[in-house]
Amino acid sequence: MLPAVFADDDLAQRFVAGLDEVLAPILHVLDCLDTYFDPALAPIDFAEWLGTWVGAETDGTEPESRLRDAVASAAALHRVRGTRQGLSEAVRLAFGVVPDISESGGADWNARPLGPFPGVPRPHLHVTLRLPAPTTTDVHRLDSLVAAARPAHMPYTVEVTASERTLER
């Protein structure tokens, strides 16, 4: 694509070839820039970095598929943060297992004034996670995840147990 004057010049051809080697990776990235912001298509190192941008609850030990899912759903997860649904989804994305969540609160209405309140007066949240092979790091990971995703006013406890194994015939 050089002008005709430089087409036969050996120095100009070598100079342009050197620039092509330097600029080709940049042009390739710019041509594919939209794929870098799609967690399913981005290179794994960029997906991890993108996770820090969107506040995905990851610790770097997840398998690649779970990391990509966590990054892709981080924005939607922030909308339900502090709710039972949000906590359950955050734990599922981190561990691949849906937890058992029990909480002390409730919501109800009564046609009579001063009717009974639902739930118990002291707030509490308990999260139980059943894993095939639990480790001590799972307890610490679950504790930090629940601390970040729970309602701010709720005291909580976490428990990681082994899932029951059934015999298949």
Side-chain angles (χ1 to χ4, degrees):
M1 296 181 62
L2 289 174
V5 172
F6 298 114
D8 294 330
D9 188 4
D10 184 48
L11 177 65
Q13 291 293 327
R14 285 185 290 148
F15 180 72
V16 172
L19 286 177
D20 190 37
E21 286 183 30
V22 172
L23 295 177
I26 296 169
L27 295 175
H28 179 68
V29 168
L30 291 175
D31 285 342
C32 303
L33 189 63
D34 58 326
T35 61
Y36 277 81
F37 296 102
D38 183 352
L41 301 174
I44 189 65
D45 58 337
F46 194 86
E48 290 171 353
W49 188 50
L50 190 59
T52 63
W53 283 12
V54 295
E57 297 287 342
T58 59
D59 66 350
T61 61
E62 301 85 12
E64 182 178 333
S65 61
R66 248 192 282 159
L67 171 80
R68 292 181 186 277
D69 287 344
V71 173
S73 60
L77 200 56
H78 288 308
R79 283 192 300 249
V80 291
R81 191 176 192 92
T83 65
R84 182 183 188 128
Q85 175 193 0
L87 179 59
S88 177
E89 185 64 14
V91 172
R92 186 193 67 77
L93 286 169
F95 290 96
V97 177
V98 177
D100 295 326
I101 300 173
S102 62
E103 54 186 327
S104 62
D108 198 9
W109 69 276
N110 195 333
R112 280 191 354 244
L114 303 176
F117 289 106
V120 296
R122 183 174 170 262
H124 188 74
L125 175 70
H126 182 75
V127 179
T128 304
L129 186 62
R130 289 174 181 29
L131 295 175
T135 64
T136 55
T137 56
D138 293 332
V139 175
H140 297 295
R141 173 82 175 117
L142 180 62
D143 185 61
S144 63
L145 187 63
V146 171
R150 69 183 167 93
H153 68 285
M154 292 281 281
Y156 69 96
T157 55
V158 296
E159 178 183 15
V160 177
T161 62
S163 60
E164 296 178 8
R165 296 182 183 168
T166 57
L167 295 175
E168 294 183 23
R169 294 180 188 214

